[in-house]
Amino acid sequence: MLTLDKVSLSYGSFQALHGVDIHADEGELVVLLGANGAGKSSIFHAMSGLRRASGGSIRFGGRELVGRKPSQIVEDGLVHCPEGRKLFPGMSVLKNLTLGGYVHRRDSKGSQRLLDDVFALFPILHEKKDCPAGSLSGGQQQMVAIGRALMGRPKALLLDEPSLGLAPLVVRQMFEIIARINKAGTTVLLAEQNAYAALNIASRAYVIEQGRIVLEGSREELLGNEQVRKAYIGA
Protein backbone atom coordinates (compact mmCIF):
# COMPACT_ATOMS: atom_id res chain seq x y z
CA MET A 1 0.00 0.00 0.00
CA LEU A 2 2.75 2.45 1.04
CA THR A 3 6.39 1.94 0.06
CA LEU A 4 9.51 4.04 0.54
CA ASP A 5 12.39 2.84 -1.62
CA LYS A 6 15.87 4.27 -0.93
CA VAL A 7 14.45 7.64 0.12
CA SER A 8 16.89 10.43 0.93
CA LEU A 9 16.10 13.93 2.15
CA SER A 10 18.28 16.97 2.75
CA TYR A 11 17.89 20.32 4.47
CA GLY A 12 20.45 22.43 2.65
CA SER A 13 23.83 20.77 3.15
CA PHE A 14 22.51 18.50 5.93
CA GLN A 15 21.31 15.08 4.84
CA ALA A 16 18.50 13.98 7.18
CA LEU A 17 17.59 10.66 5.51
CA HIS A 18 19.94 8.14 3.92
CA GLY A 19 18.32 5.58 1.60
CA VAL A 20 15.34 4.73 3.80
CA ASP A 21 13.28 1.64 2.92
CA ILE A 22 9.88 1.26 4.61
CA HIS A 23 6.64 -0.44 3.67
CA ALA A 24 3.20 -0.66 5.22
CA ASP A 25 0.53 -3.03 3.95
CA GLU A 26 -3.16 -2.21 3.99
CA GLY A 27 -4.59 -2.43 7.50
CA GLU A 28 -1.22 -2.55 9.28
CA LEU A 29 -0.14 -0.42 12.22
CA VAL A 30 3.57 0.22 11.73
CA VAL A 31 5.72 2.05 14.28
CA LEU A 32 8.83 4.16 13.65
CA LEU A 33 10.97 4.20 16.77
CA GLY A 34 13.82 6.60 17.33
CA ALA A 35 15.20 9.32 19.55
CA ASN A 36 14.45 12.98 18.98
CA GLY A 37 16.21 14.06 15.79
CA ALA A 38 16.62 10.53 14.43
CA GLY A 39 14.66 11.33 11.28
CA LYS A 40 11.11 10.18 12.04
CA SER A 41 9.50 13.53 11.24
CA SER A 42 11.64 13.89 8.11
CA ILE A 43 10.24 10.58 6.85
CA PHE A 44 6.70 11.86 7.40
CA HIS A 45 7.47 15.21 5.78
CA ALA A 46 8.75 13.40 2.70
CA MET A 47 5.65 11.18 2.58
CA SER A 48 3.19 14.04 2.93
CA GLY A 49 4.95 16.31 0.44
CA LEU A 50 5.96 18.96 2.97
CA ARG A 51 9.57 18.29 1.94
CA ARG A 52 10.55 16.85 -1.41
CA ALA A 53 12.72 13.75 -1.23
CA SER A 54 16.12 14.33 -2.82
CA GLY A 55 16.34 10.72 -3.89
CA GLY A 56 14.36 7.49 -4.05
CA SER A 57 10.70 6.71 -4.55
CA ILE A 58 7.56 6.99 -2.38
CA ARG A 59 4.57 5.08 -3.70
CA PHE A 60 1.08 4.98 -2.22
CA GLY A 61 -1.63 2.83 -3.73
CA GLY A 62 0.48 2.47 -6.87
CA ARG A 63 0.99 6.23 -7.34
CA GLU A 64 4.33 8.00 -7.07
CA LEU A 65 4.11 10.74 -4.43
CA VAL A 66 7.43 12.51 -4.93
CA GLY A 67 6.64 15.80 -6.64
CA ARG A 68 2.95 15.83 -5.77
CA LYS A 69 1.49 18.70 -3.74
CA PRO A 70 0.50 18.06 -0.11
CA SER A 71 -3.17 18.75 -0.94
CA GLN A 72 -3.03 16.16 -3.73
CA ILE A 73 -1.50 13.63 -1.37
CA VAL A 74 -4.35 14.20 1.09
CA GLU A 75 -6.82 13.66 -1.74
CA ASP A 76 -4.99 10.41 -2.52
CA GLY A 77 -5.80 9.30 1.03
CA LEU A 78 -2.49 9.81 2.89
CA VAL A 79 -3.02 12.23 5.78
CA HIS A 80 -0.41 13.60 8.19
CA CYS A 81 -1.08 14.49 11.84
CA PRO A 82 2.05 16.48 12.71
CA GLU A 83 4.18 16.58 15.83
CA GLY A 84 3.15 19.45 18.10
CA ARG A 85 -0.48 19.33 16.85
CA LYS A 86 -0.20 22.55 14.79
CA LEU A 87 -3.71 23.71 15.67
CA PHE A 88 -5.12 27.19 15.14
CA PRO A 89 -5.41 28.09 18.84
CA GLY A 90 -7.70 31.10 18.43
CA MET A 91 -10.18 29.22 16.26
CA SER A 92 -12.90 26.99 17.64
CA VAL A 93 -12.56 23.24 17.90
CA LEU A 94 -15.26 22.91 15.23
CA LYS A 95 -13.44 25.17 12.78
CA ASN A 96 -10.15 23.34 13.33
CA LEU A 97 -11.88 20.04 12.58
CA THR A 98 -13.68 21.42 9.55
CA LEU A 99 -10.38 22.61 8.05
CA GLY A 100 -9.18 19.02 8.06
CA GLY A 101 -11.78 18.19 5.43
CA TYR A 102 -11.05 21.18 3.20
CA VAL A 103 -9.98 19.13 0.17
CA HIS A 104 -13.36 17.36 0.35
CA ARG A 105 -15.38 20.56 0.90
CA ARG A 106 -17.66 19.89 -2.08
CA ASP A 107 -19.04 16.82 -0.31
CA SER A 108 -20.70 18.57 2.62
CA LYS A 109 -22.90 15.61 3.54
CA GLY A 110 -19.91 13.27 3.67
CA SER A 111 -17.98 15.77 5.78
CA GLN A 112 -20.87 16.07 8.21
CA ARG A 113 -20.99 12.27 8.60
CA LEU A 114 -17.27 12.25 9.28
CA LEU A 115 -17.63 15.05 11.81
CA ASP A 116 -20.29 13.02 13.60
CA ASP A 117 -17.89 10.05 13.63
CA VAL A 118 -15.13 12.22 15.12
CA PHE A 119 -17.46 13.45 17.85
CA ALA A 120 -18.47 9.83 18.55
CA LEU A 121 -14.78 8.92 18.90
CA PHE A 122 -14.00 11.99 21.04
CA PRO A 123 -17.24 13.00 22.87
CA ILE A 124 -15.46 15.74 24.81
CA LEU A 125 -14.81 17.58 21.54
CA HIS A 126 -18.53 17.85 20.89
CA GLU A 127 -18.96 19.43 24.31
CA LYS A 128 -16.17 21.90 23.56
CA LYS A 129 -16.81 22.42 19.84
CA ASP A 130 -17.31 26.18 20.24
CA CYS A 131 -14.28 26.68 22.52
CA PRO A 132 -10.98 28.02 21.19
CA ALA A 133 -8.70 25.06 20.51
CA GLY A 134 -5.94 26.76 22.48
CA SER A 135 -8.04 26.70 25.66
CA LEU A 136 -8.16 22.89 25.76
CA SER A 137 -5.88 20.59 27.73
CA GLY A 138 -2.94 18.96 25.98
CA GLY A 139 -4.77 15.67 25.63
CA GLN A 140 -7.87 17.34 24.23
CA GLN A 141 -5.76 19.32 21.75
CA GLN A 142 -4.22 16.06 20.56
CA MET A 143 -7.75 14.71 20.06
CA VAL A 144 -8.51 17.74 17.89
CA ALA A 145 -5.34 17.13 15.86
CA ILE A 146 -6.23 13.48 15.26
CA GLY A 147 -9.86 14.36 14.58
CA ARG A 148 -8.78 17.00 12.05
CA ALA A 149 -6.63 14.38 10.30
CA LEU A 150 -9.55 11.94 10.21
CA MET A 151 -11.63 14.62 8.50
CA GLY A 152 -9.19 14.27 5.58
CA ARG A 153 -10.60 10.75 4.99
CA PRO A 154 -7.32 8.87 5.35
CA LYS A 155 -6.71 5.46 3.91
CA ALA A 156 -3.37 5.73 5.69
CA LEU A 157 -2.71 8.01 8.66
CA LEU A 158 0.71 9.36 9.66
CA LEU A 159 0.78 10.11 13.40
CA ASP A 160 3.89 11.97 14.55
CA GLU A 161 4.59 11.74 18.32
CA PRO A 162 0.93 11.84 19.46
CA SER A 163 1.88 11.06 23.07
CA LEU A 164 4.43 13.87 23.39
CA GLY A 165 3.92 15.92 26.57
CA LEU A 166 0.84 14.03 27.74
CA ALA A 167 0.21 12.55 31.19
CA PRO A 168 0.55 8.73 31.46
CA LEU A 169 -3.21 8.14 31.81
CA VAL A 170 -3.91 10.29 28.74
CA VAL A 171 -1.16 8.48 26.82
CA ARG A 172 -2.83 5.14 27.55
CA GLN A 173 -6.18 6.48 26.35
CA MET A 174 -4.57 7.95 23.23
CA PHE A 175 -3.01 4.63 22.23
CA GLU A 176 -6.33 2.85 22.78
CA ILE A 177 -7.95 5.31 20.36
CA ILE A 178 -5.17 4.84 17.79
CA ALA A 179 -5.68 1.07 17.98
CA ARG A 180 -9.43 1.59 17.43
CA ILE A 181 -8.78 3.75 14.36
CA ASN A 182 -6.53 1.04 12.94
CA LYS A 183 -8.99 -1.77 13.68
CA ALA A 184 -11.70 0.22 11.90
CA GLY A 185 -9.68 -0.16 8.69
CA THR A 186 -7.22 2.75 8.52
CA THR A 187 -3.57 1.91 7.96
CA VAL A 188 -1.47 3.74 10.57
CA LEU A 189 2.18 4.75 10.63
CA LEU A 190 3.07 5.90 14.13
CA ALA A 191 6.29 7.76 14.93
CA GLU A 192 7.01 7.45 18.64
CA GLN A 193 9.64 7.68 21.36
CA ASN A 194 7.31 5.84 23.76
CA ALA A 195 8.45 2.44 22.49
CA TYR A 196 6.66 0.15 24.92
CA ALA A 197 3.20 1.69 24.43
CA ALA A 198 3.66 1.92 20.66
CA LEU A 199 4.93 -1.63 20.20
CA ASN A 200 2.03 -3.04 22.18
CA ILE A 201 -0.44 -1.92 19.50
CA ALA A 202 1.86 -2.38 16.46
CA SER A 203 1.95 -4.98 13.72
CA ARG A 204 5.60 -4.25 12.91
CA ALA A 205 8.21 -1.64 13.68
CA TYR A 206 11.33 0.04 12.33
CA VAL A 207 14.12 1.60 14.39
CA ILE A 208 15.70 4.71 12.88
CA GLU A 209 18.98 6.27 13.95
CA GLN A 210 20.68 9.25 12.30
CA GLY A 211 18.43 9.03 9.25
CA ARG A 212 18.96 5.31 8.63
CA ILE A 213 16.81 2.26 9.33
CA VAL A 214 18.97 0.10 11.61
CA LEU A 215 16.46 -2.54 12.66
CA GLU A 216 13.04 -3.83 11.67
CA GLY A 217 10.82 -6.65 12.81
CA SER A 218 7.54 -7.75 14.30
CA ARG A 219 6.19 -6.39 17.57
CA GLU A 220 7.36 -9.54 19.38
CA GLU A 221 10.83 -9.40 17.85
CA LEU A 222 11.43 -5.80 18.85
CA LEU A 223 9.91 -6.14 22.32
CA GLY A 224 12.29 -9.05 22.89
CA ASN A 225 15.33 -7.33 21.40
CA GLU A 226 17.83 -6.41 24.11
CA GLN A 227 19.22 -3.47 22.11
CA VAL A 228 15.74 -1.99 21.70
CA ARG A 229 14.82 -2.61 25.32
CA LYS A 230 17.94 -0.85 26.60
CA ALA A 231 17.70 2.10 24.23
CA TYR A 232 13.94 2.75 24.17
CA ILE A 233 12.16 0.81 26.91
CA GLY A 234 14.65 1.08 29.76
CA ALA A 235 14.68 -2.55 30.79
Side-chain angles (χ1 to χ4, degrees), residues 4-8 17-22 43 208 211-213:
L4 280 71
D5 183 22
K6 297 179 175 56
V7 170
S8 299
L17 300 178
H18 304 264
V20 169
D21 294 328
I22 289 174
I43 290 172
I208 182 166
R212 293 178 171 87
I213 300 297

Side-chain angles (χ1 to χ4, degrees), residues 152-226:
R153 309 184 187 187
K155 298 172 185 174
L157 180 61
L158 310 179
L159 292 172
D160 196 353
E161 301 284 6
S163 74
L164 192 65
L166 303 183
L169 176 60
V170 180
V171 170
R172 186 159 58 249
Q173 294 170 340
M174 196 61 62
F175 279 103
E176 288 172 358
I177 289 167
I178 293 167
R180 284 174 59 188
I181 291 169
N182 175 242
K183 288 175 181 176
T186 303
T187 303
V188 175
L189 274 77
L190 173 63
E192 262 294 338
Q193 295 184 56
N194 190 332
Y196 184 74
L199 287 173
N200 271 294
I201 63 171
S203 310
R204 296 184 298 106
Y206 295 86
V207 177
I208 182 166
E209 293 179 359
Q210 297 180 340
R212 293 178 171 87
I213 300 297
V214 297
L215 191 65
E216 63 177 287
S218 68
R219 167 179 56 199
E220 293 78 15
E221 288 169 340
L222 267 68
L223 279 171
N225 184 289
E226 184 177 357

Side-chain angles (χ1 to χ4, degrees), residues 31-104:
V31 172
L32 304 182
L33 297 177
N36 187 38
K40 303 187 301 299
S41 293
S42 293
I43 290 172
F44 281 3
H45 288 166
M47 289 183 188
S48 61
L50 295 176
R51 290 278 181 174
R52 181 165 180 153
S54 53
S57 171
I58 303 172
R59 299 190 68 82
F60 178 63
R63 183 193 291 272
E64 177 62 54
L65 298 186
V66 175
R68 286 178 68 76
K69 296 178 182 178
S71 59
Q72 293 173 323
I73 292 172
V74 172
E75 288 185 274
D76 292 340
L78 183 63
V79 181
H80 182 190
C81 182
E83 179 183 356
R85 302 156 196 156
K86 303 296 191 292
L87 302 180
F88 295 94
M91 293 173 59
S92 70
V93 167
L94 180 60
K95 287 184 178 179
N96 271 274
L97 292 173
T98 301
L99 280 173
Y102 182 76
V103 299
H104 305 292

